[in-house]
Amino acid sequence: MKKSLLLMLVIPAVFANTSMASKPSQNRQITLRNMLKHDCGACHGLTLKGGLGPALLPEALTGKPDDFLISTIINGRPGTAMPPWQPFISHDEAAWLLGILRKP
Amino acid sequence: MNKLLPLLTLLFSFSVMAELRATGDLGIVIEREDGNALIINTTEHKRLAKIEKLGDLSHASVVFSRDQRYAYVFGRDGGLTKIDMLKDSIDKHIIQAGNSIGGAISQDGKLIAISNYAPGGVKVFSSDTLELVADIPSEYGEGLRSKVVGLVDAPGQRFVFSLFDAGEIWMVDLKNPKAPVIKKFPNIGKQPYDALISPDGRYYIAGLFGESGMALLDLWNLDAGVKRILPDYGKDDEKLPVYKMPHLEGWAVAGDYLFAPAIGQHKVLVIDQNTWELHDTIAVAGQPVFVMARPDGRQVWVNFAFPDNNQVQIIDVKDLSLSKTLSPGKAVLHMEFTPRGEQVWVAVRDDNQLVVYDTETLQEITRLPANKPNGIFFSSRAHKIGL
Protein backbone atom coordinates (compact mmCIF):
# COMPACT_ATOMS: atom_id res chain seq x y z
CA MET A 1 0.00 0.00 0.00
CA LYS A 2 2.78 2.31 0.92
CA LYS A 3 4.55 1.52 -2.34
CA SER A 4 1.58 2.23 -4.56
CA LEU A 5 0.96 5.48 -2.77
CA LEU A 6 4.53 6.48 -3.51
CA LEU A 7 4.09 5.51 -7.16
CA MET A 8 0.97 7.62 -7.42
CA LEU A 9 2.98 10.55 -6.21
CA VAL A 10 5.96 9.85 -8.42
CA ILE A 11 4.25 9.13 -11.72
CA PRO A 12 2.51 12.48 -12.14
CA ALA A 13 5.77 14.20 -11.29
CA VAL A 14 7.58 12.31 -14.07
CA PHE A 15 4.87 13.10 -16.58
CA ALA A 16 4.86 16.72 -15.64
CA ASN A 17 8.58 16.86 -16.16
CA THR A 18 8.63 15.42 -19.68
CA SER A 19 5.60 17.22 -20.99
CA MET A 20 6.98 20.59 -20.01
CA ALA A 21 10.33 20.03 -21.81
CA SER A 22 11.82 21.84 -18.91
CA LYS A 23 14.83 24.07 -19.03
CA PRO A 24 17.93 22.56 -17.47
CA SER A 25 18.90 23.81 -14.01
CA GLN A 26 21.30 26.71 -13.77
CA ASN A 27 24.23 24.43 -12.93
CA ARG A 28 23.37 22.02 -15.69
CA GLN A 29 23.19 24.89 -18.17
CA ILE A 30 26.76 25.82 -17.30
CA THR A 31 27.87 22.20 -17.80
CA LEU A 32 26.02 21.95 -21.10
CA ARG A 33 27.45 25.21 -22.40
CA ASN A 34 30.93 24.02 -21.45
CA MET A 35 30.28 20.75 -23.29
CA LEU A 36 29.03 22.60 -26.33
CA LYS A 37 32.08 24.82 -26.43
CA HIS A 38 34.73 22.24 -25.74
CA ASP A 39 33.43 18.75 -26.48
CA CYS A 40 31.17 19.55 -29.44
CA GLY A 41 33.75 22.20 -30.30
CA ALA A 42 36.46 19.55 -30.60
CA CYS A 43 34.98 18.64 -33.99
CA HIS A 44 32.67 21.55 -34.84
CA GLY A 45 35.08 24.26 -33.73
CA LEU A 46 35.03 26.45 -30.63
CA THR A 47 33.27 29.13 -32.63
CA LEU A 48 31.09 26.44 -34.27
CA LYS A 49 32.34 27.35 -37.73
CA GLY A 50 33.05 23.68 -38.34
CA GLY A 51 36.07 21.40 -38.33
CA LEU A 52 35.96 17.70 -38.95
CA GLY A 53 32.24 18.12 -38.32
CA PRO A 54 30.09 20.67 -40.18
CA ALA A 55 29.43 24.25 -39.05
CA LEU A 56 26.66 24.64 -36.45
CA LEU A 57 26.04 28.34 -36.96
CA PRO A 58 22.38 29.47 -37.31
CA GLU A 59 22.70 29.88 -41.11
CA ALA A 60 24.00 26.33 -41.42
CA LEU A 61 21.02 24.99 -39.50
CA THR A 62 18.22 26.84 -41.24
CA GLY A 63 15.88 24.52 -43.09
CA LYS A 64 16.86 21.57 -40.90
CA PRO A 65 13.94 20.54 -38.69
CA ASP A 66 14.28 20.41 -34.89
CA ASP A 67 13.42 16.71 -34.72
CA PHE A 68 16.17 15.82 -37.15
CA LEU A 69 18.82 17.85 -35.32
CA ILE A 70 17.78 16.67 -31.85
CA SER A 71 17.87 13.11 -33.10
CA THR A 72 21.35 13.72 -34.54
CA ILE A 73 22.57 14.89 -31.14
CA ILE A 74 20.90 12.05 -29.25
CA ASN A 75 21.51 9.17 -31.65
CA GLY A 76 24.52 10.35 -33.61
CA ARG A 77 24.78 9.83 -37.33
CA PRO A 78 26.01 6.39 -38.42
CA GLY A 79 28.69 6.40 -41.10
CA THR A 80 30.07 9.71 -39.87
CA ALA A 81 32.20 10.73 -36.89
CA MET A 82 29.11 12.04 -35.02
CA PRO A 83 28.58 9.85 -31.93
CA PRO A 84 25.32 9.38 -29.98
CA TRP A 85 25.26 11.74 -26.96
CA GLN A 86 22.30 9.97 -25.39
CA PRO A 87 24.26 8.69 -22.36
CA PHE A 88 25.13 12.26 -21.40
CA ILE A 89 22.44 14.51 -22.82
CA SER A 90 18.67 14.05 -22.46
CA HIS A 91 16.14 14.82 -25.19
CA ASP A 92 15.11 18.03 -23.41
CA GLU A 93 18.70 19.11 -22.97
CA ALA A 94 19.38 18.49 -26.65
CA ALA A 95 16.34 20.65 -27.47
CA TRP A 96 17.66 23.38 -25.18
CA LEU A 97 21.13 23.18 -26.81
CA LEU A 98 19.54 23.41 -30.24
CA GLY A 99 17.75 26.56 -29.09
CA ILE A 100 21.13 28.07 -28.24
CA LEU A 101 22.57 27.04 -31.59
CA ARG A 102 19.66 28.60 -33.45
CA LYS A 103 19.78 31.80 -31.40
CA PRO A 104 23.24 32.19 -29.87
CA MET B 1 86.59 56.63 -10.51
CA ASN B 2 89.29 54.08 -11.07
CA LYS B 3 87.78 52.05 -8.33
CA LEU B 4 84.27 52.46 -9.67
CA LEU B 5 85.05 51.28 -13.18
CA PRO B 6 85.31 47.56 -12.46
CA LEU B 7 82.06 47.78 -10.50
CA LEU B 8 80.29 49.55 -13.35
CA THR B 9 81.60 46.99 -15.81
CA LEU B 10 80.33 44.25 -13.57
CA LEU B 11 76.91 45.86 -13.29
CA PHE B 12 76.71 46.35 -17.02
CA SER B 13 77.63 42.77 -17.77
CA PHE B 14 74.98 41.56 -15.32
CA SER B 15 72.30 43.53 -17.04
CA VAL B 16 73.34 42.15 -20.41
CA MET B 17 73.32 38.65 -19.01
CA ALA B 18 69.83 39.10 -17.62
CA GLU B 19 68.56 39.77 -21.12
CA LEU B 20 70.08 36.70 -22.65
CA ARG B 21 67.70 33.80 -23.08
CA ALA B 22 68.40 30.33 -24.37
CA THR B 23 65.43 28.72 -26.07
CA GLY B 24 66.30 25.02 -26.04
CA ASP B 25 64.28 24.33 -22.91
CA LEU B 26 61.32 26.55 -23.68
CA GLY B 27 57.86 25.57 -24.76
CA ILE B 28 54.54 26.91 -25.96
CA VAL B 29 51.24 26.20 -24.22
CA ILE B 30 48.02 26.99 -26.06
CA GLU B 31 45.08 28.51 -24.17
CA ARG B 32 42.25 27.44 -26.45
CA GLU B 33 39.42 29.64 -25.29
CA ASP B 34 41.33 32.91 -25.15
CA GLY B 35 43.41 32.22 -28.23
CA ASN B 36 46.64 32.86 -26.35
CA ALA B 37 50.03 31.20 -26.34
CA LEU B 38 52.13 30.99 -23.18
CA ILE B 39 55.89 30.81 -23.42
CA ILE B 40 57.13 28.56 -20.65
CA ASN B 41 60.49 27.44 -19.30
CA THR B 42 60.53 23.68 -18.77
CA THR B 43 63.62 23.66 -16.55
CA GLU B 44 62.40 26.27 -14.12
CA HIS B 45 58.67 25.46 -14.43
CA LYS B 46 57.91 29.08 -15.14
CA ARG B 47 55.57 31.04 -17.31
CA LEU B 48 57.69 33.61 -19.12
CA ALA B 49 55.18 35.45 -21.28
CA LYS B 50 51.66 35.43 -22.65
CA ILE B 51 51.26 36.12 -26.36
CA GLU B 52 47.70 37.24 -26.99
CA LYS B 53 45.14 37.28 -29.76
CA LEU B 54 46.26 34.51 -32.05
CA GLY B 55 42.70 33.80 -33.19
CA ASP B 56 40.64 30.62 -32.80
CA LEU B 57 42.93 28.07 -31.17
CA SER B 58 40.25 25.52 -30.33
CA HIS B 59 42.45 23.14 -32.25
CA ALA B 60 46.06 24.19 -32.52
CA SER B 61 49.53 22.81 -33.05
CA VAL B 62 53.03 24.24 -33.05
CA VAL B 63 56.33 23.62 -34.82
CA PHE B 64 59.67 25.30 -34.15
CA SER B 65 62.38 26.85 -36.32
CA ARG B 66 65.61 24.91 -36.29
CA ASP B 67 67.36 27.69 -34.37
CA GLN B 68 64.58 27.30 -31.77
CA ARG B 69 63.91 31.00 -31.78
CA TYR B 70 60.55 30.99 -33.52
CA ALA B 71 57.38 29.03 -32.83
CA TYR B 72 54.82 28.65 -35.61
CA VAL B 73 51.28 28.27 -34.30
CA PHE B 74 48.59 26.75 -36.53
CA GLY B 75 45.09 27.81 -35.50
CA ARG B 76 41.66 26.41 -36.29
CA ASP B 77 40.66 29.58 -38.16
CA GLY B 78 43.44 29.22 -40.72
CA GLY B 79 45.71 31.50 -38.74
CA LEU B 80 49.47 31.07 -38.90
CA THR B 81 51.38 32.97 -36.24
CA LYS B 82 55.14 33.24 -36.01
CA ILE B 83 56.14 33.92 -32.41
CA ASP B 84 59.57 35.27 -31.50
CA MET B 85 60.48 33.50 -28.27
CA LEU B 86 63.40 35.84 -27.64
CA LYS B 87 61.29 38.97 -27.80
CA ASP B 88 58.05 37.56 -26.40
CA SER B 89 56.20 38.95 -29.37
CA ILE B 90 54.37 38.10 -32.56
CA ASP B 91 56.75 38.40 -35.48
CA LYS B 92 54.11 37.79 -38.15
CA HIS B 93 50.50 36.66 -38.37
CA ILE B 94 48.47 35.69 -41.41
CA ILE B 95 45.11 34.05 -42.09
CA GLN B 96 45.80 31.58 -44.87
CA ALA B 97 42.55 29.57 -45.05
CA GLY B 98 39.09 29.32 -43.51
CA ASN B 99 39.63 26.24 -41.41
CA SER B 100 42.86 24.36 -40.68
CA ILE B 101 44.05 21.42 -38.68
CA GLY B 102 47.85 21.43 -38.47
CA GLY B 103 51.22 22.06 -39.99
CA ALA B 104 54.81 20.98 -40.40
CA ILE B 105 58.24 22.47 -41.03
CA SER B 106 60.49 21.25 -43.85
CA GLN B 107 63.73 19.34 -43.43
CA ASP B 108 65.80 22.45 -44.11
CA GLY B 109 63.60 24.63 -41.94
CA LYS B 110 62.79 27.01 -44.78
CA LEU B 111 59.22 25.98 -45.51
CA ILE B 112 56.07 25.79 -43.41
CA ALA B 113 53.26 23.59 -44.74
CA ILE B 114 49.69 23.77 -43.44
CA SER B 115 46.87 21.27 -43.88
CA ASN B 116 43.48 22.83 -44.42
CA TYR B 117 39.89 21.65 -44.12
CA ALA B 118 38.41 24.62 -45.92
CA PRO B 119 39.31 25.21 -48.63
CA GLY B 120 40.75 21.69 -48.59
CA GLY B 121 44.43 21.38 -49.41
CA VAL B 122 47.95 22.18 -48.32
CA LYS B 123 49.58 25.59 -48.51
CA VAL B 124 53.30 26.11 -48.21
CA PHE B 125 54.91 29.29 -46.90
CA SER B 126 58.38 30.70 -46.46
CA SER B 127 59.27 30.22 -42.78
CA ASP B 128 61.08 33.53 -42.91
CA THR B 129 58.50 35.87 -44.47
CA LEU B 130 55.32 33.73 -44.36
CA GLU B 131 54.87 34.45 -48.07
CA LEU B 132 52.98 31.83 -50.04
CA VAL B 133 55.34 29.48 -51.87
CA ALA B 134 53.02 26.72 -53.10
CA ASP B 135 49.29 25.97 -53.08
CA ILE B 136 48.17 22.36 -53.41
CA PRO B 137 44.37 21.94 -53.54
CA SER B 138 43.23 18.47 -52.42
CA GLU B 139 41.04 17.83 -55.44
CA TYR B 140 39.77 14.31 -55.86
CA GLY B 141 36.78 14.53 -58.17
CA GLU B 142 34.65 17.02 -60.03
CA GLY B 143 34.66 20.09 -57.85
CA LEU B 144 35.50 18.08 -54.74
CA ARG B 145 38.20 19.05 -52.28
CA SER B 146 39.03 16.87 -49.32
CA LYS B 147 39.82 17.88 -45.77
CA VAL B 148 43.52 17.28 -45.24
CA VAL B 149 44.87 15.56 -42.11
CA GLY B 150 48.06 13.92 -40.87
CA LEU B 151 50.52 16.33 -42.46
CA VAL B 152 54.16 15.58 -41.61
CA ASP B 153 57.60 16.48 -42.91
CA ALA B 154 59.74 13.73 -44.40
CA PRO B 155 63.40 13.55 -45.42
CA GLY B 156 64.23 14.82 -48.91
CA GLN B 157 62.39 18.11 -48.43
CA ARG B 158 59.06 16.33 -48.67
CA PHE B 159 55.71 16.54 -46.94
CA VAL B 160 53.24 13.66 -46.63
CA PHE B 161 49.54 14.03 -45.81
CA SER B 162 46.18 12.23 -45.99
CA LEU B 163 42.85 13.17 -47.55
CA PHE B 164 40.04 12.44 -45.06
CA ASP B 165 37.16 12.54 -47.54
CA ALA B 166 39.01 10.96 -50.46
CA GLY B 167 40.86 8.16 -48.68
CA GLU B 168 44.20 9.02 -50.26
CA ILE B 169 47.78 9.70 -49.19
CA TRP B 170 49.75 12.33 -51.07
CA MET B 171 53.46 13.03 -50.99
CA VAL B 172 54.85 16.35 -52.15
CA ASP B 173 58.46 16.92 -53.03
CA LEU B 174 59.44 20.58 -52.64
CA LYS B 175 63.12 20.49 -53.54
CA ASN B 176 62.05 23.05 -56.09
CA PRO B 177 59.38 24.97 -54.17
CA LYS B 178 58.18 26.66 -57.35
CA ALA B 179 57.37 23.31 -58.94
CA PRO B 180 56.06 20.84 -56.36
CA VAL B 181 56.10 17.21 -57.48
CA ILE B 182 53.04 15.38 -56.15
CA LYS B 183 52.74 11.61 -55.88
CA LYS B 184 49.28 10.29 -55.02
CA PHE B 185 48.34 7.01 -53.39
CA PRO B 186 44.60 6.39 -53.83
CA ASN B 187 42.33 3.82 -52.13
CA ILE B 188 44.19 3.69 -48.86
CA GLY B 189 41.00 3.10 -46.83
CA LYS B 190 38.01 5.04 -45.56
CA GLN B 191 38.42 8.30 -43.66
CA PRO B 192 42.05 8.55 -42.60
CA TYR B 193 41.77 10.75 -39.48
CA ASP B 194 45.42 11.40 -38.64
CA ALA B 195 48.86 10.03 -39.36
CA LEU B 196 52.38 9.80 -38.06
CA ILE B 197 55.87 9.22 -39.38
CA SER B 198 58.57 7.13 -37.75
CA PRO B 199 61.45 9.07 -36.14
CA ASP B 200 63.79 7.96 -38.94
CA GLY B 201 61.34 9.35 -41.50
CA ARG B 202 60.83 6.01 -43.20
CA TYR B 203 57.30 4.88 -42.40
CA TYR B 204 54.15 6.95 -42.71
CA ILE B 205 51.06 5.44 -41.10
CA ALA B 206 47.54 6.82 -41.38
CA GLY B 207 44.85 5.68 -38.92
CA LEU B 208 41.45 4.93 -40.44
CA PHE B 209 38.17 6.01 -38.88
CA GLY B 210 35.78 4.65 -41.51
CA GLU B 211 37.02 1.08 -41.33
CA SER B 212 39.37 -1.15 -39.40
CA GLY B 213 43.10 -0.98 -39.81
CA MET B 214 45.77 1.50 -40.80
CA ALA B 215 47.49 2.48 -44.03
CA LEU B 216 51.26 2.11 -44.18
CA LEU B 217 53.57 3.79 -46.67
CA ASP B 218 57.26 2.88 -46.77
CA LEU B 219 59.04 5.99 -48.03
CA TRP B 220 62.10 3.91 -48.84
CA ASN B 221 60.04 1.80 -51.18
CA LEU B 222 57.37 3.94 -52.77
CA ASP B 223 56.82 1.54 -55.64
CA ALA B 224 55.36 -0.97 -53.20
CA GLY B 225 52.56 1.52 -52.61
CA VAL B 226 50.36 1.69 -49.54
CA LYS B 227 49.92 -1.48 -47.54
CA ARG B 228 46.92 -2.06 -45.27
CA ILE B 229 47.84 -3.28 -41.83
CA LEU B 230 45.65 -4.72 -39.06
CA PRO B 231 42.64 -5.02 -41.37
CA ASP B 232 40.88 -7.30 -38.95
CA TYR B 233 41.40 -5.65 -35.62
CA GLY B 234 38.21 -5.27 -33.63
CA LYS B 235 36.18 -6.67 -36.49
CA ASP B 236 33.99 -8.79 -34.25
CA ASP B 237 33.91 -6.42 -31.29
CA GLU B 238 31.17 -3.93 -30.67
CA LYS B 239 32.22 -0.50 -31.86
CA LEU B 240 31.91 2.03 -29.05
CA PRO B 241 31.11 5.67 -29.74
CA VAL B 242 34.12 7.97 -30.18
CA TYR B 243 33.60 11.32 -28.43
CA LYS B 244 36.90 12.77 -29.53
CA MET B 245 38.95 11.83 -32.53
CA PRO B 246 42.27 10.22 -31.50
CA HIS B 247 45.52 11.85 -32.49
CA LEU B 248 48.54 10.14 -33.89
CA GLU B 249 51.47 12.26 -32.94
CA GLY B 250 55.04 11.25 -32.86
CA TRP B 251 55.70 7.59 -32.90
CA ALA B 252 55.01 5.68 -29.74
CA VAL B 253 57.68 3.11 -30.31
CA ALA B 254 59.35 1.04 -27.68
CA GLY B 255 61.60 -1.80 -28.69
CA ASP B 256 59.95 -3.64 -31.55
CA TYR B 257 56.50 -2.32 -30.79
CA LEU B 258 54.42 0.53 -32.06
CA PHE B 259 51.61 1.68 -29.77
CA ALA B 260 48.48 3.22 -31.27
CA PRO B 261 44.94 4.04 -30.16
CA ALA B 262 42.22 1.58 -31.20
CA ILE B 263 39.17 3.29 -32.71
CA GLY B 264 35.84 2.63 -31.03
CA GLN B 265 37.46 0.35 -28.49
CA HIS B 266 38.90 1.05 -25.11
CA LYS B 267 42.22 -0.43 -26.07
CA VAL B 268 45.77 0.42 -27.05
CA LEU B 269 47.07 -1.59 -29.98
CA VAL B 270 50.56 -3.03 -29.79
CA ILE B 271 51.89 -3.59 -33.28
CA ASP B 272 54.98 -5.60 -34.10
CA GLN B 273 57.13 -3.38 -36.30
CA ASN B 274 58.87 -6.27 -37.98
CA THR B 275 55.74 -7.97 -39.27
CA TRP B 276 53.23 -5.09 -38.95
CA GLU B 277 50.87 -7.49 -37.25
CA LEU B 278 48.99 -7.06 -34.03
CA HIS B 279 51.12 -8.32 -31.17
CA ASP B 280 48.75 -7.53 -28.34
CA THR B 281 46.03 -5.19 -27.13
CA ILE B 282 45.97 -3.50 -23.74
CA ALA B 283 42.62 -2.71 -22.14
CA VAL B 284 42.52 0.89 -20.90
CA ALA B 285 40.10 3.28 -19.19
CA GLY B 286 38.45 4.75 -22.28
CA GLN B 287 38.83 5.71 -25.93
CA PRO B 288 42.54 6.62 -26.16
CA VAL B 289 43.31 10.02 -27.71
CA PHE B 290 47.07 10.39 -27.34
CA VAL B 291 49.30 7.34 -26.96
CA MET B 292 52.79 8.67 -26.36
CA ALA B 293 56.04 6.93 -25.52
CA ARG B 294 58.46 8.44 -23.05
CA PRO B 295 61.59 9.28 -25.06
CA ASP B 296 63.45 6.25 -23.72
CA GLY B 297 60.53 3.99 -24.65
CA ARG B 298 60.11 2.41 -21.23
CA GLN B 299 56.65 3.91 -20.63
CA VAL B 300 53.67 4.76 -22.79
CA TRP B 301 51.28 7.42 -21.51
CA VAL B 302 47.65 7.44 -22.62
CA ASN B 303 44.89 10.00 -22.23
CA PHE B 304 41.24 9.59 -23.15
CA ALA B 305 38.21 10.99 -24.89
CA PHE B 306 35.16 12.31 -23.04
CA PRO B 307 33.81 11.05 -20.60
CA ASP B 308 36.99 9.34 -19.35
CA ASN B 309 39.17 12.37 -19.88
CA ASN B 310 40.01 12.96 -16.22
CA GLN B 311 42.52 10.11 -16.28
CA VAL B 312 45.94 9.27 -17.61
CA GLN B 313 47.19 5.71 -17.71
CA ILE B 314 50.76 4.54 -17.91
CA ILE B 315 51.80 1.34 -19.64
CA ASP B 316 54.99 -0.36 -18.54
CA VAL B 317 56.55 -1.45 -21.82
CA LYS B 318 58.68 -4.09 -20.10
CA ASP B 319 55.69 -6.41 -19.70
CA LEU B 320 52.93 -4.45 -21.48
CA SER B 321 51.00 -3.99 -18.25
CA LEU B 322 49.18 -0.97 -16.86
CA SER B 323 51.42 0.30 -14.12
CA LYS B 324 49.45 3.29 -12.89
CA THR B 325 46.33 5.40 -13.34
CA LEU B 326 46.67 9.08 -12.55
CA SER B 327 43.87 11.60 -12.08
CA PRO B 328 45.39 14.97 -12.95
CA GLY B 329 42.01 16.72 -13.12
CA LYS B 330 39.07 17.45 -15.39
CA ALA B 331 39.60 17.13 -19.14
CA VAL B 332 43.18 16.07 -19.76
CA LEU B 333 43.85 17.14 -23.34
CA HIS B 334 47.54 16.76 -24.05
CA MET B 335 50.90 15.61 -22.71
CA GLU B 336 54.48 16.53 -23.57
CA PHE B 337 57.69 14.90 -22.36
CA THR B 338 60.87 16.79 -21.60
CA PRO B 339 63.52 15.96 -24.22
CA ARG B 340 65.01 13.06 -22.27
CA GLY B 341 61.79 12.11 -20.56
CA GLU B 342 62.39 12.62 -16.83
CA GLN B 343 59.26 14.77 -16.63
CA VAL B 344 55.97 15.11 -18.45
CA TRP B 345 53.67 18.12 -18.64
CA VAL B 346 49.93 17.50 -18.75
CA ALA B 347 47.30 20.01 -19.90
CA VAL B 348 44.11 19.90 -17.81
CA ARG B 349 41.52 22.03 -19.59
CA ASP B 350 38.61 22.32 -17.17
CA ASP B 351 40.82 22.77 -14.09
CA ASN B 352 42.81 25.47 -15.89
CA GLN B 353 46.12 23.89 -15.02
CA LEU B 354 49.34 22.40 -16.25
CA VAL B 355 50.52 19.51 -14.12
CA VAL B 356 54.14 18.39 -14.17
CA TYR B 357 54.94 14.79 -13.19
CA ASP B 358 58.15 12.99 -12.42
CA THR B 359 57.94 10.02 -14.80
CA GLU B 360 60.06 7.78 -12.56
CA THR B 361 58.13 8.18 -9.31
CA LEU B 362 54.87 9.19 -11.05
CA GLN B 363 54.51 11.88 -8.40
CA GLU B 364 53.30 15.36 -9.12
CA ILE B 365 56.10 17.95 -9.07
CA THR B 366 54.20 21.17 -9.57
CA ARG B 367 51.17 22.86 -11.11
CA LEU B 368 51.04 26.05 -13.15
CA PRO B 369 47.95 28.03 -14.02
CA ALA B 370 46.82 28.21 -17.66
CA ASN B 371 43.38 29.13 -18.91
CA LYS B 372 41.76 26.14 -20.69
CA PRO B 373 45.06 24.72 -21.93
CA ASN B 374 44.82 22.29 -24.85
CA GLY B 375 48.30 21.77 -26.22
CA ILE B 376 51.86 21.73 -24.93
CA PHE B 377 54.78 21.90 -27.34
CA PHE B 378 58.45 21.99 -26.33
CA SER B 379 61.11 23.58 -28.51
CA SER B 380 63.03 20.28 -28.57
CA ARG B 381 60.57 19.33 -31.33
CA ALA B 382 62.65 21.56 -33.60
CA HIS B 383 65.10 18.76 -34.23
CA LYS B 384 62.75 15.85 -34.62
CA ILE B 385 61.51 14.46 -37.93
CA GLY B 386 57.73 14.50 -38.11
CA LEU B 387 57.25 17.02 -35.31
Side-chain angles (χ1 to χ4, degrees):
Chain A
M1 182 61 198
K2 255 188 188 172
K3 259 188 193 166
S4 60
L5 191 66
L6 200 64
L7 272 179
M8 282 166 68
L9 289 171
V10 167
I11 289 169
V14 167
F15 274 110
N17 198 25
T18 48
S19 62
M20 276 164 61
S22 63
K23 229 172 139 180
S25 72
Q26 209 62 34
N27 270 345
R28 185 65 184 155
Q29 286 187 24
I30 293 167
T31 306
L32 288 170
R33 277 184 187 274
N34 192 59
M35 275 173 82
L36 180 62
K37 194 177 243 174
H38 296 290
D39 297 306
C40 305
C43 278
H44 297 283
L46 192 97
T47 55
L48 302 174
K49 278 190 217 155
L52 197 61
L56 301 180
L57 296 171
E59 312 86 86
L61 301 180
T62 45
K64 297 192 171 74
D66 283 3
D67 283 354
F68 167 73
L69 293 172
I70 292 169
S71 161
T72 300
I73 296 171
I74 297 295
N75 303 315
R77 211 178 283 173
T80 75
M82 179 67 180
W85 290 86
Q86 191 186 350
F88 315 104
I89 298 176
S90 71
H91 184 279
D92 285 2
E93 289 171 344
W96 181 79
L97 281 169
L98 180 58
I100 290 179
L101 292 175
R102 289 208 191 273
K103 279 181 196 160
Chain B
M1 185 63 199
N2 262 356
K3 274 185 185 167
L4 263 179
L5 200 61
L7 193 66
L8 279 173
T9 314
L10 198 66
L11 274 175
F12 179 71
S13 60
F14 269 134
S15 73
V16 167
M17 273 172 67
E19 282 170 21
L20 286 176
R21 177 190 285 177
T23 54
D25 61 350
L26 300 189
I28 296 284
V29 172
I30 302 297
E31 295 185 323
R32 77 191 300 258
E33 198 170 316
D34 302 334
N36 297 337
L38 306 176
I39 301 177
I40 45 125
N41 181 305
T42 62
T43 308
E44 295 168 2
H45 303 138
K46 264 192 193 150
R47 289 171 47 149
L48 302 180
K50 185 192 279 186
I51 313 298
E52 293 179 294
K53 299 202 173 72
L54 274 58
D56 178 358
L57 300 184
S58 55
H59 187 285
S61 63
V62 181
V63 298
F64 294 88
S65 62
R66 66 196 282 172
D67 62 7
Q68 294 177 315
R69 174 172 177 175
Y70 299 103
Y72 299 87
V73 181
F74 309 102
R76 166 66 85 194
D77 58 359
L80 166 60
T81 310
K82 184 180 179 183
I83 293 174
D84 187 336
M85 296 198 294
L86 289 184
K87 293 184 175 169
D88 293 340
S89 64
I90 293 176
D91 184 71
K92 283 181 180 69
H93 176 81
I94 59 167
I95 298 284
Q96 54 82 38
N99 200 320
S100 342
I101 191 70
I105 187 161
S106 63
Q107 185 175 35
D108 66 359
K110 290 180 179 161
L111 303 172
I112 299 287
I114 308 185
S115 52
N116 292 321
Y117 280 177
V122 169
K123 282 188 180 174
V124 184
F125 299 88
S126 152
S127 61
D128 183 21
T129 61
L130 301 193
E131 276 165 27
L132 186 69
V133 173
D135 188 357
I136 302 154
S138 50
E139 285 162 352
Y140 67 101
E142 322 129 20
L144 294 171
R145 285 173 77 158
S146 174
K147 299 185 193 82
V148 175
V149 299
L151 168 69
V152 299
D153 60 286
Q157 200 66 354
R158 293 178 294 181
F159 291 105
V160 191
F161 51 91
S162 299
L163 277 56
F164 177 83
D165 307 293
E168 297 185 3
I169 292 174
W170 290 13
M171 195 185 70
V172 180
D173 185 325
L174 284 154
K175 277 194 248 336
N176 177 1
K178 297 250 156 56
V181 180
I182 303 171
K183 191 168 170 61
K184 300 176 185 179
F185 299 89
N187 304 316
I188 61 132
K190 276 187 207 144
Q191 297 174 323
Y193 65 88
D194 199 3
L196 49 68
I197 192 165
S198 55
D200 57 8
R202 175 169 180 178
Y203 297 108
Y204 178 85
I205 295 188
L208 301 175
F209 181 80
E211 57 187 297
S212 290
M214 303 175 106
L216 170 76
L217 179 62
D218 180 354
L219 301 187
W220 290 11
N221 189 9
L222 293 170
D223 291 341
V226 169
K227 182 181 163 184
R228 285 287 287 282
I229 59 171
L230 315 187
D232 296 323
Y233 97 76
K235 221 171 156 185
D236 304 323
D237 297 337
E238 188 199 353
K239 207 165 177 197
L240 301 168
V242 178
Y243 291 101
K244 182 178 164 70
M245 200 57 89
H247 285 60
L248 301 173
E249 186 191 79
W251 184 260
V253 160
D256 287 337
Y257 304 128
L258 163 70
F259 294 78
I263 294 279
Q265 291 177 50
H266 296 179
K267 286 176 187 167
V268 168
L269 308 175
V270 186
I271 302 157
D272 186 324
Q273 275 200 92
N274 297 314
T275 61
W276 299 108
E277 287 184 2
L278 192 64
H279 171 77
D280 204 352
T281 59
I282 301 167
V284 288
Q287 167 67 54
V289 174
F290 283 100
V291 174
M292 303 174 96
R294 199 172 69 176
D296 66 336
R298 173 65 197 268
Q299 295 173 346
V300 169
W301 288 55
V302 187
N303 77 326
F304 304 99
F306 177 90
D308 302 300
N309 53 359
N310 58 332
Q311 297 168 80
V312 168
Q313 291 192 308
I314 297 129
I315 295 166
D316 186 344
V317 172
K318 196 176 163 194
D319 53 9
L320 302 181
S321 67
L322 274 184
S323 60
K324 181 106 175 177
T325 301
L326 299 172
S327 302
K330 270 183 80 183
V332 174
L333 290 199
H334 196 216
M335 302 169 286
E336 179 86 333
F337 290 95
T338 50
R340 299 190 189 201
E342 83 289 358
Q343 291 176 3
V344 63
W345 288 49
V346 177
V348 189
R349 186 193 67 205
D350 289 353
D351 285 347
N352 300 308
Q353 281 185 322
L354 305 168
V355 187
V356 184
Y357 287 97
D358 180 318
T359 61
E360 186 81 37
T361 63
L362 304 180
Q363 298 297 309
E364 196 178 306
I365 297 170
T366 188
R367 286 179 180 244
L368 282 85
N371 193 31
K372 305 274 181 207
N374 64 331
I376 308 174
F377 305 88
F378 293 166
S379 62
S380 51
R381 287 173 176 247
H383 304 138
K384 285 182 190 145
I385 292 170
L387 296 178

